[in-house]
Amino acid sequence: MASRDPLKRQRVSRESRLLASYQRERSPITRGRTRQGVFAPAGWHCRVWYGSSGSSILVTPTPIDTTQFLPPKVLGPAVDMDFSFAGTSGRFTVARYASRLFPRVLARFIEGVRNEHLVPDSILALPPFARDSVTAVDSLVAEFTTPPRVSGLGTAGFLGPSRDPVHGVVVIAPDPDEPDMSILRVRLGESMRQVEAAVVRLNKGCMRQSDGC
């Protein structure tokens, strides 16, 4: 990922007092999705990274450090949405997660990436993350929880281990040749459990739609 851009923030009608949709304008690299955005608590701060492999949106209650290309791991409340494009170098990330979460459904895609011999097989395998709880919603959607103070799927992005768990969703696009992937990671803390559930629910719904969030 090579740069960042401002996000377009748009209020949503449902639960509008609590949540907002953080979106960035469509560009040539948004590919098939009309939008790339994320639902998160209203009034928070956001930053976006994007490149040919995909994009990431980080939303936090406090300003995000812009003096570094990548900020330190976030230990407090945050919402993190990552998009990986399977028709670009993002295919390595897609294959890595698919090998752990969707090995049968995406077996042909995973094998095709391995047969390129561009990266070692070890890079295409996620750590076991034995403490994570993973639930298959359907063949292309999985939900996960990373417990407090441990590393797992929930801390593989911008969030670091802390006293609160990380809840998330992984969604694969229903395209066998270019199965783009989106990953949501949410940690809002004990006092915002109901808001956290709403964030996960709203994002999961739009992540499964072809036009995105």
Side-chain angles (χ1 to χ4, degrees):
M1 296 182 186
S3 59
R4 60 183 184 271
D5 68 350
L7 289 176
K8 176 183 177 183
R9 184 180 304 173
Q10 179 182 352
R11 295 280 177 168
V12 294
S13 56
R14 275 188 75 183
E15 300 166 303
S16 60
R17 291 184 303 169
L18 299 175
L19 302 181
S21 175
Y22 296 81
Q23 299 178 12
R24 72 179 184 82
E25 301 290 352
R26 182 173 173 81
S27 73
I29 65 167
T30 55
R31 291 168 53 83
R33 286 179 176 267
T34 303
R35 300 182 300 272
Q36 287 178 14
V38 64
F39 289 103
W44 283 22
H45 301 264
C46 56
R47 188 177 172 191
V48 64
W49 293 259
Y50 67 91
S52 60
S53 64
S55 62
S56 297
I57 300 173
L58 177 64
V59 187
T60 64
T62 57
I64 300 168
D65 184 5
T66 59
T67 63
Q68 304 179 60
F69 179 66
L70 295 177
K73 287 276 191 175
V74 178
L75 302 181
V79 178
D80 174 13
M81 179 75 87
D82 294 329
F83 303 93
S84 297
F85 303 149
T88 70
S89 57
R91 66 189 180 279
F92 302 116
T93 300
V94 175
R96 190 166 185 250
Y97 280 85
S99 66
R100 165 80 191 281
L101 300 173
F102 312 101
R104 293 184 179 179
V105 175
L106 294 182
R108 184 170 67 86
F109 174 80
I110 297 168
E111 187 64 20
V113 173
R114 283 182 174 152
N115 288 340
E116 295 178 19
H117 301 297
L118 295 178
V119 297
D121 284 352
S122 59
I123 292 180
L124 298 179
L126 279 176
F129 293 147
R131 299 282 300 277
D132 278 358
S133 171
V134 180
T135 302
V137 177
D138 60 33
S139 61
L140 295 176
V141 180
E143 296 181 345
F144 63 85
T145 299
T146 297
R149 298 185 175 89
V150 300
S151 296
L153 292 168
T155 62
F158 286 117
L159 281 61
S162 78
R163 65 182 182 180
D164 293 303
V166 179
H167 299 283
V169 182
V170 183
V171 176
I172 298 290
D175 182 336
D177 298 316
E178 295 187 4
D180 293 347
M181 178 181 68
S182 54
I183 302 179
L184 171 74
R185 299 176 176 92
V186 182
R187 180 176 59 212
L188 300 187
E190 185 65 34
S191 65
M192 298 184 70
R193 284 287 180 255
Q194 290 185 334
V195 178
E196 184 174 88
V199 169
V200 172
R201 183 180 68 253
L202 288 172
N203 280 295
K204 180 173 67 173
C206 66
M207 288 164 71
R208 301 175 75 172
Q209 298 176 9
S210 61
D211 58 352
C213 295

